[in-house]
mmCIF file of all heavy atoms in Angstrom:
data_model
loop_
_atom_site.group_PDB
_atom_site.id
_atom_site.type_symbol
_atom_site.label_atom_id
_atom_site.label_comp_id
_atom_site.label_asym_id
_atom_site.label_seq_id
_atom_site.Cartn_x
_atom_site.Cartn_y
_atom_site.Cartn_z
ATOM 1 N N THR A 67 0.842 -1.188 0.000
ATOM 2 C CA THR A 67 0.000 0.000 0.000
ATOM 3 C C THR A 67 0.879 1.240 0.000
ATOM 4 O O THR A 67 1.752 1.389 0.870
ATOM 5 C CB THR A 67 -0.918 0.037 1.233
ATOM 6 O OG1 THR A 67 -1.719 -1.141 1.266
ATOM 7 C CG2 THR A 67 -1.827 1.258 1.180
ATOM 8 N N ILE A 68 0.642 2.120 -0.960
ATOM 9 C CA ILE A 68 1.359 3.381 -1.016
ATOM 10 C C ILE A 68 0.464 4.471 -0.430
ATOM 11 O O ILE A 68 -0.753 4.457 -0.626
ATOM 12 C CB ILE A 68 1.777 3.730 -2.469
ATOM 13 C CG1 ILE A 68 2.700 4.951 -2.487
ATOM 14 C CG2 ILE A 68 0.572 3.921 -3.366
ATOM 15 C CD1 ILE A 68 3.332 5.210 -3.856
ATOM 16 N N SER A 69 1.088 5.383 0.292
ATOM 17 C CA SER A 69 0.332 6.486 0.863
ATOM 18 C C SER A 69 1.235 7.708 0.942
ATOM 19 O O SER A 69 2.457 7.598 0.820
ATOM 20 C CB SER A 69 -0.207 6.124 2.246
ATOM 21 O OG SER A 69 0.854 5.837 3.141
ATOM 22 N N ARG A 70 0.614 8.848 1.144
ATOM 23 C CA ARG A 70 1.388 10.073 1.248
ATOM 24 C C ARG A 70 0.847 10.923 2.393
ATOM 25 O O ARG A 70 -0.360 10.974 2.599
ATOM 26 C CB ARG A 70 1.386 10.851 -0.059
ATOM 27 C CG ARG A 70 0.029 11.247 -0.582
ATOM 28 C CD ARG A 70 0.073 11.675 -2.044
ATOM 29 N NE ARG A 70 0.793 12.934 -2.219
ATOM 30 C CZ ARG A 70 1.202 13.390 -3.398
ATOM 31 N NH1 ARG A 70 0.973 12.681 -4.492
ATOM 32 N NH2 ARG A 70 1.831 14.555 -3.494
ATOM 33 N N ASP A 71 1.752 11.564 3.096
ATOM 34 C CA ASP A 71 1.395 12.478 4.167
ATOM 35 C C ASP A 71 1.906 13.847 3.746
ATOM 36 O O ASP A 71 3.099 14.150 3.900
ATOM 37 C CB ASP A 71 2.008 12.027 5.490
ATOM 38 C CG ASP A 71 1.543 12.856 6.673
ATOM 39 O OD1 ASP A 71 1.212 14.052 6.472
ATOM 40 O OD2 ASP A 71 1.525 12.318 7.783
ATOM 41 N N ASN A 72 1.020 14.658 3.214
ATOM 42 C CA ASN A 72 1.441 15.962 2.705
ATOM 43 C C ASN A 72 1.998 16.853 3.811
ATOM 44 O O ASN A 72 2.905 17.651 3.571
ATOM 45 C CB ASN A 72 0.274 16.653 2.004
ATOM 46 C CG ASN A 72 -0.112 15.968 0.716
ATOM 47 O OD1 ASN A 72 0.668 15.210 0.129
ATOM 48 N ND2 ASN A 72 -1.336 16.190 0.276
ATOM 49 N N ALA A 73 1.477 16.722 5.009
ATOM 50 C CA ALA A 73 1.946 17.558 6.115
ATOM 51 C C ALA A 73 3.389 17.241 6.492
ATOM 52 O O ALA A 73 4.130 18.123 6.933
ATOM 53 C CB ALA A 73 1.033 17.388 7.321
ATOM 54 N N LYS A 74 3.776 15.982 6.305
ATOM 55 C CA LYS A 74 5.141 15.562 6.656
ATOM 56 C C LYS A 74 6.045 15.465 5.427
ATOM 57 O O LYS A 74 7.212 15.091 5.559
ATOM 58 C CB LYS A 74 5.105 14.208 7.370
ATOM 59 C CG LYS A 74 4.415 14.249 8.720
ATOM 60 C CD LYS A 74 4.471 12.887 9.400
ATOM 61 C CE LYS A 74 3.819 12.937 10.771
ATOM 62 N NZ LYS A 74 3.861 11.614 11.459
ATOM 63 N N ASN A 75 5.497 15.766 4.259
ATOM 64 C CA ASN A 75 6.278 15.657 3.012
ATOM 65 C C ASN A 75 6.915 14.278 2.888
ATOM 66 O O ASN A 75 8.105 14.140 2.553
ATOM 67 C CB ASN A 75 7.353 16.746 2.940
ATOM 68 C CG ASN A 75 6.747 18.128 2.863
ATOM 69 O OD1 ASN A 75 5.658 18.308 2.325
ATOM 70 N ND2 ASN A 75 7.436 19.102 3.416
ATOM 71 N N THR A 76 6.127 13.274 3.152
ATOM 72 C CA THR A 76 6.643 11.907 3.184
ATOM 73 C C THR A 76 5.690 10.976 2.440
ATOM 74 O O THR A 76 4.470 11.125 2.532
ATOM 75 C CB THR A 76 6.820 11.419 4.631
ATOM 76 O OG1 THR A 76 7.715 12.305 5.319
ATOM 77 C CG2 THR A 76 7.395 10.008 4.672
ATOM 78 N N VAL A 77 6.297 10.052 1.728
ATOM 79 C CA VAL A 77 5.542 9.011 1.043
ATOM 80 C C VAL A 77 5.943 7.674 1.647
ATOM 81 O O VAL A 77 7.131 7.451 1.935
ATOM 82 C CB VAL A 77 5.824 9.025 -0.469
ATOM 83 C CG1 VAL A 77 5.062 7.920 -1.181
ATOM 84 C CG2 VAL A 77 5.451 10.376 -1.051
ATOM 85 N N TYR A 78 4.976 6.803 1.816
ATOM 86 C CA TYR A 78 5.229 5.511 2.453
ATOM 87 C C TYR A 78 4.899 4.366 1.510
ATOM 88 O O TYR A 78 4.064 4.502 0.611
ATOM 89 C CB TYR A 78 4.370 5.365 3.714
ATOM 90 C CG TYR A 78 4.571 6.454 4.733
ATOM 91 C CD1 TYR A 78 3.696 7.540 4.801
ATOM 92 C CD2 TYR A 78 5.634 6.406 5.629
ATOM 93 C CE1 TYR A 78 3.873 8.543 5.740
ATOM 94 C CE2 TYR A 78 5.823 7.412 6.570
ATOM 95 C CZ TYR A 78 4.936 8.481 6.612
ATOM 96 O OH TYR A 78 5.124 9.474 7.540
ATOM 97 N N LEU A 79 5.531 3.253 1.766
ATOM 98 C CA LEU A 79 5.157 2.010 1.105
ATOM 99 C C LEU A 79 5.080 0.936 2.179
ATOM 100 O O LEU A 79 6.101 0.508 2.713
ATOM 101 C CB LEU A 79 6.174 1.616 0.025
ATOM 102 C CG LEU A 79 5.791 0.378 -0.781
ATOM 103 C CD1 LEU A 79 4.560 0.667 -1.659
ATOM 104 C CD2 LEU A 79 6.951 -0.094 -1.661
ATOM 105 N N GLN A 80 3.866 0.548 2.499
ATOM 106 C CA GLN A 80 3.644 -0.543 3.440
ATOM 107 C C GLN A 80 3.677 -1.848 2.679
ATOM 108 O O GLN A 80 2.900 -2.035 1.744
ATOM 109 C CB GLN A 80 2.304 -0.373 4.157
ATOM 110 C CG GLN A 80 1.975 -1.497 5.119
ATOM 111 C CD GLN A 80 2.903 -1.537 6.320
ATOM 112 O OE1 GLN A 80 3.210 -0.496 6.903
ATOM 113 N NE2 GLN A 80 3.342 -2.728 6.697
ATOM 114 N N MET A 81 4.569 -2.728 3.064
ATOM 115 C CA MET A 81 4.745 -3.999 2.352
ATOM 116 C C MET A 81 4.423 -5.136 3.310
ATOM 117 O O MET A 81 5.107 -5.308 4.328
ATOM 118 C CB MET A 81 6.176 -4.124 1.830
ATOM 119 C CG MET A 81 6.616 -2.942 0.967
ATOM 120 S SD MET A 81 8.232 -3.173 0.208
ATOM 121 C CE MET A 81 9.276 -3.208 1.661
ATOM 122 N N ASN A 82 3.395 -5.878 2.994
ATOM 123 C CA ASN A 82 2.977 -7.024 3.796
ATOM 124 C C ASN A 82 3.136 -8.320 3.004
ATOM 125 O O ASN A 82 3.248 -8.293 1.773
ATOM 126 C CB ASN A 82 1.521 -6.862 4.229
ATOM 127 C CG ASN A 82 1.283 -5.643 5.093
ATOM 128 O OD1 ASN A 82 2.149 -5.222 5.861
ATOM 129 N ND2 ASN A 82 0.099 -5.056 4.967
ATOM 130 N N SER A 83 3.138 -9.413 3.711
ATOM 131 C CA SER A 83 3.240 -10.734 3.077
ATOM 132 C C SER A 83 4.399 -10.780 2.088
ATOM 133 O O SER A 83 4.254 -11.220 0.948
ATOM 134 C CB SER A 83 1.928 -11.083 2.361
ATOM 135 O OG SER A 83 0.842 -11.053 3.254
ATOM 136 N N LEU A 84 5.530 -10.334 2.539
ATOM 137 C CA LEU A 84 6.688 -10.240 1.653
ATOM 138 C C LEU A 84 7.142 -11.613 1.187
ATOM 139 O O LEU A 84 7.087 -12.611 1.937
ATOM 140 C CB LEU A 84 7.830 -9.516 2.355
ATOM 141 C CG LEU A 84 7.665 -7.988 2.379
ATOM 142 C CD1 LEU A 84 8.524 -7.363 3.463
ATOM 143 C CD2 LEU A 84 8.003 -7.402 1.026
ATOM 144 N N LYS A 85 7.596 -11.639 -0.051
ATOM 145 C CA LYS A 85 8.075 -12.859 -0.680
ATOM 146 C C LYS A 85 9.547 -12.684 -1.049
ATOM 147 O O LYS A 85 10.011 -11.550 -1.239
ATOM 148 C CB LYS A 85 7.264 -13.138 -1.946
ATOM 149 C CG LYS A 85 5.769 -13.226 -1.746
ATOM 150 C CD LYS A 85 5.050 -13.394 -3.075
ATOM 151 C CE LYS A 85 3.547 -13.465 -2.889
ATOM 152 N NZ LYS A 85 2.840 -13.630 -4.200
ATOM 153 N N PRO A 86 10.276 -13.784 -1.198
ATOM 154 C CA PRO A 86 11.676 -13.664 -1.605
ATOM 155 C C PRO A 86 11.846 -12.872 -2.905
ATOM 156 O O PRO A 86 12.840 -12.149 -3.066
ATOM 157 C CB PRO A 86 12.110 -15.122 -1.767
ATOM 158 C CG PRO A 86 11.256 -15.864 -0.800
ATOM 159 C CD PRO A 86 9.924 -15.169 -0.839
ATOM 160 N N GLU A 87 10.879 -12.980 -3.800
ATOM 161 C CA GLU A 87 10.985 -12.252 -5.071
ATOM 162 C C GLU A 87 10.764 -10.752 -4.923
ATOM 163 O O GLU A 87 10.942 -10.001 -5.884
ATOM 164 C CB GLU A 87 10.010 -12.822 -6.109
ATOM 165 C CG GLU A 87 8.582 -12.944 -5.659
ATOM 166 C CD GLU A 87 8.242 -14.341 -5.144
ATOM 167 O OE1 GLU A 87 9.075 -14.938 -4.420
ATOM 168 O OE2 GLU A 87 7.129 -14.809 -5.467
ATOM 169 N N ASP A 88 10.375 -10.294 -3.733
ATOM 170 C CA ASP A 88 10.273 -8.852 -3.488
ATOM 171 C C ASP A 88 11.620 -8.231 -3.134
ATOM 172 O O ASP A 88 11.736 -7.003 -3.059
ATOM 173 C CB ASP A 88 9.298 -8.579 -2.338
ATOM 174 C CG ASP A 88 7.866 -8.949 -2.669
ATOM 175 O OD1 ASP A 88 7.424 -8.670 -3.808
ATOM 176 O OD2 ASP A 88 7.186 -9.531 -1.791
ATOM 177 N N ALA A 89 12.619 -9.052 -2.912
ATOM 178 C CA ALA A 89 13.934 -8.533 -2.543
ATOM 179 C C ALA A 89 14.514 -7.687 -3.671
ATOM 180 O O ALA A 89 14.528 -8.111 -4.836
ATOM 181 C CB ALA A 89 14.875 -9.694 -2.215
ATOM 182 N N ALA A 90 14.965 -6.507 -3.320
ATOM 183 C CA ALA A 90 15.484 -5.566 -4.320
ATOM 184 C C ALA A 90 15.927 -4.294 -3.601
ATOM 185 O O ALA A 90 15.701 -4.145 -2.390
ATOM 186 C CB ALA A 90 14.411 -5.221 -5.346
ATOM 187 N N VAL A 91 16.528 -3.411 -4.360
ATOM 188 C CA VAL A 91 16.725 -2.043 -3.873
ATOM 189 C C VAL A 91 15.492 -1.251 -4.275
ATOM 190 O O VAL A 91 15.092 -1.269 -5.451
ATOM 191 C CB VAL A 91 17.998 -1.402 -4.460
ATOM 192 C CG1 VAL A 91 18.137 0.030 -3.966
ATOM 193 C CG2 VAL A 91 19.226 -2.217 -4.085
ATOM 194 N N TYR A 92 14.891 -0.595 -3.314
ATOM 195 C CA TYR A 92 13.672 0.173 -3.560
ATOM 196 C C TYR A 92 14.026 1.660 -3.620
ATOM 197 O O TYR A 92 14.716 2.184 -2.739
ATOM 198 C CB TYR A 92 12.660 -0.094 -2.448
ATOM 199 C CG TYR A 92 11.952 -1.413 -2.606
ATOM 200 C CD1 TYR A 92 12.628 -2.623 -2.409
ATOM 201 C CD2 TYR A 92 10.608 -1.476 -2.984
ATOM 202 C CE1 TYR A 92 11.992 -3.840 -2.578
ATOM 203 C CE2 TYR A 92 9.965 -2.693 -3.147
ATOM 204 C CZ TYR A 92 10.659 -3.863 -2.952
ATOM 205 O OH TYR A 92 10.020 -5.073 -3.127
ATOM 206 N N TYR A 93 13.515 2.285 -4.666
ATOM 207 C CA TYR A 93 13.799 3.685 -4.917
ATOM 208 C C TYR A 93 12.518 4.510 -4.875
ATOM 209 O O TYR A 93 11.502 4.119 -5.451
ATOM 210 C CB TYR A 93 14.440 3.873 -6.287
ATOM 211 C CG TYR A 93 15.778 3.208 -6.459
ATOM 212 C CD1 TYR A 93 15.869 1.914 -6.947
ATOM 213 C CD2 TYR A 93 16.956 3.875 -6.137
ATOM 214 C CE1 TYR A 93 17.103 1.299 -7.110
ATOM 215 C CE2 TYR A 93 18.197 3.274 -6.301
ATOM 216 C CZ TYR A 93 18.252 1.983 -6.792
ATOM 217 O OH TYR A 93 19.478 1.377 -6.951
ATOM 218 N N CYS A 94 12.609 5.656 -4.267
ATOM 219 C CA CYS A 94 11.520 6.622 -4.271
ATOM 220 C C CYS A 94 11.699 7.537 -5.486
ATOM 221 O O CYS A 94 12.840 7.883 -5.853
ATOM 222 C CB CYS A 94 11.554 7.430 -2.982
ATOM 223 S SG CYS A 94 10.238 8.640 -2.821
ATOM 224 N N ASN A 95 10.593 7.910 -6.083
ATOM 225 C CA ASN A 95 10.635 8.752 -7.279
ATOM 226 C C ASN A 95 9.584 9.845 -7.177
ATOM 227 O O ASN A 95 8.466 9.609 -6.713
ATOM 228 C CB ASN A 95 10.369 7.886 -8.520
ATOM 229 C CG ASN A 95 10.167 8.698 -9.769
ATOM 230 O OD1 ASN A 95 9.030 9.073 -10.100
ATOM 231 N ND2 ASN A 95 11.240 8.989 -10.466
ATOM 232 N N GLY A 96 9.977 11.023 -7.636
ATOM 233 C CA GLY A 96 9.021 12.115 -7.702
ATOM 234 C C GLY A 96 9.133 12.810 -9.050
ATOM 235 O O GLY A 96 10.247 13.081 -9.522
ATOM 236 N N TYR A 97 7.988 13.038 -9.675
ATOM 237 C CA TYR A 97 7.979 13.703 -10.982
ATOM 238 C C TYR A 97 7.460 15.109 -10.770
ATOM 239 O O TYR A 97 6.306 15.308 -10.382
ATOM 240 C CB TYR A 97 7.083 12.931 -11.950
ATOM 241 C CG TYR A 97 7.098 13.491 -13.353
ATOM 242 C CD1 TYR A 97 8.216 13.325 -14.161
ATOM 243 C CD2 TYR A 97 6.011 14.189 -13.857
ATOM 244 C CE1 TYR A 97 8.236 13.835 -15.444
ATOM 245 C CE2 TYR A 97 6.029 14.706 -15.131
ATOM 246 C CZ TYR A 97 7.144 14.525 -15.931
ATOM 247 O OH TYR A 97 7.164 15.039 -17.205
ATOM 248 N N PHE A 98 8.335 16.094 -11.015
ATOM 249 C CA PHE A 98 8.022 17.482 -10.698
ATOM 250 C C PHE A 98 8.590 18.386 -11.768
ATOM 251 O O PHE A 98 9.787 18.283 -12.080
ATOM 252 C CB PHE A 98 8.593 17.835 -9.317
ATOM 253 C CG PHE A 98 8.373 19.250 -8.897
ATOM 254 C CD1 PHE A 98 7.090 19.711 -8.656
ATOM 255 C CD2 PHE A 98 9.443 20.110 -8.723
ATOM 256 C CE1 PHE A 98 6.879 21.015 -8.245
ATOM 257 C CE2 PHE A 98 9.243 21.408 -8.319
ATOM 258 C CZ PHE A 98 7.964 21.865 -8.080
ATOM 259 N N LEU A 99 7.750 19.211 -12.325
ATOM 260 C CA LEU A 99 8.167 20.159 -13.368
ATOM 261 C C LEU A 99 8.977 19.464 -14.462
ATOM 262 O O LEU A 99 10.093 19.868 -14.825
ATOM 263 C CB LEU A 99 8.989 21.307 -12.759
ATOM 264 C CG LEU A 99 8.238 22.242 -11.816
ATOM 265 C CD1 LEU A 99 9.149 23.333 -11.286
ATOM 266 C CD2 LEU A 99 7.018 22.842 -12.505
ATOM 267 N N ASN A 100 8.386 18.375 -14.968
ATOM 268 C CA ASN A 100 8.958 17.635 -16.099
ATOM 269 C C ASN A 100 10.322 17.018 -15.802
ATOM 270 O O ASN A 100 11.098 16.737 -16.739
ATOM 271 C CB ASN A 100 9.070 18.529 -17.337
ATOM 272 C CG ASN A 100 7.721 19.023 -17.809
ATOM 273 O OD1 ASN A 100 6.752 18.260 -17.818
ATOM 274 N ND2 ASN A 100 7.639 20.280 -18.168
ATOM 275 N N THR A 101 10.614 16.793 -14.547
ATOM 276 C CA THR A 101 11.883 16.173 -14.160
ATOM 277 C C THR A 101 11.618 15.023 -13.201
ATOM 278 O O THR A 101 10.812 15.159 -12.286
ATOM 279 C CB THR A 101 12.812 17.203 -13.492
ATOM 280 O OG1 THR A 101 13.051 18.275 -14.401
ATOM 281 C CG2 THR A 101 14.138 16.565 -13.108
ATOM 282 N N ASN A 102 12.309 13.911 -13.428
ATOM 283 C CA ASN A 102 12.239 12.775 -12.520
ATOM 284 C C ASN A 102 13.330 12.891 -11.467
ATOM 285 O O ASN A 102 14.504 13.056 -11.803
ATOM 286 C CB ASN A 102 12.443 11.463 -13.285
ATOM 287 C CG ASN A 102 11.144 10.794 -13.642
ATOM 288 O OD1 ASN A 102 10.231 10.716 -12.824
ATOM 289 N ND2 ASN A 102 11.048 10.307 -14.857
ATOM 290 N N TYR A 103 12.946 12.797 -10.223
ATOM 291 C CA TYR A 103 13.903 12.832 -9.119
ATOM 292 C C TYR A 103 13.904 11.471 -8.435
ATOM 293 O O TYR A 103 12.855 10.852 -8.258
ATOM 294 C CB TYR A 103 13.535 13.931 -8.115
ATOM 295 C CG TYR A 103 13.664 15.318 -8.671
ATOM 296 C CD1 TYR A 103 12.573 15.972 -9.242
ATOM 297 C CD2 TYR A 103 14.885 15.982 -8.648
ATOM 298 C CE1 TYR A 103 12.690 17.246 -9.761
ATOM 299 C CE2 TYR A 103 15.008 17.265 -9.169
ATOM 300 C CZ TYR A 103 13.910 17.885 -9.727
ATOM 301 O OH TYR A 103 14.036 19.149 -10.244
ATOM 302 N N TRP A 104 15.112 11.031 -8.022
ATOM 303 C CA TRP A 104 15.282 9.719 -7.412
ATOM 304 C C TRP A 104 16.005 9.831 -6.079
ATOM 305 O O TRP A 104 16.897 10.663 -5.912
ATOM 306 C CB TRP A 104 16.101 8.807 -8.328
ATOM 307 C CG TRP A 104 15.436 8.505 -9.634
ATOM 308 C CD1 TRP A 104 15.584 9.174 -10.816
ATOM 309 C CD2 TRP A 104 14.508 7.442 -9.888
ATOM 310 N NE1 TRP A 104 14.807 8.593 -11.780
ATOM 311 C CE2 TRP A 104 14.139 7.529 -11.245
ATOM 312 C CE3 TRP A 104 13.954 6.429 -9.099
ATOM 313 C CZ2 TRP A 104 13.242 6.645 -11.845
ATOM 314 C CZ3 TRP A 104 13.067 5.551 -9.697
ATOM 315 C CH2 TRP A 104 12.719 5.654 -11.049
#
């Protein structure tokens, strides 16, 4: 589940029932004024 808290300027990703295939490096991304930020 992805969620955002505008007051805290924070985005969350709640991950439940994790599987071995979920293993990875997770990156946050924001698209702002035609630019991708990582």
Side-chain angles (χ1 to χ4, degrees):
T67 302
I68 188 171
S69 61
R70 58 195 292 166
D71 186 331
N72 291 340
K74 294 183 178 180
N75 295 330
T76 302
V77 179
Y78 303 98
L79 184 68
Q80 178 67 44
M81 306 186 295
N82 298 328
S83 303
L84 281 160
K85 304 175 181 180
E87 52 264 41
D88 294 319
V91 178
Y92 282 70
Y93 297 91
C94 182
N95 170 270
Y97 184 72
F98 178 66
L99 294 180
N100 298 319
T101 301
N102 263 316
Y103 294 94
W104 296 93

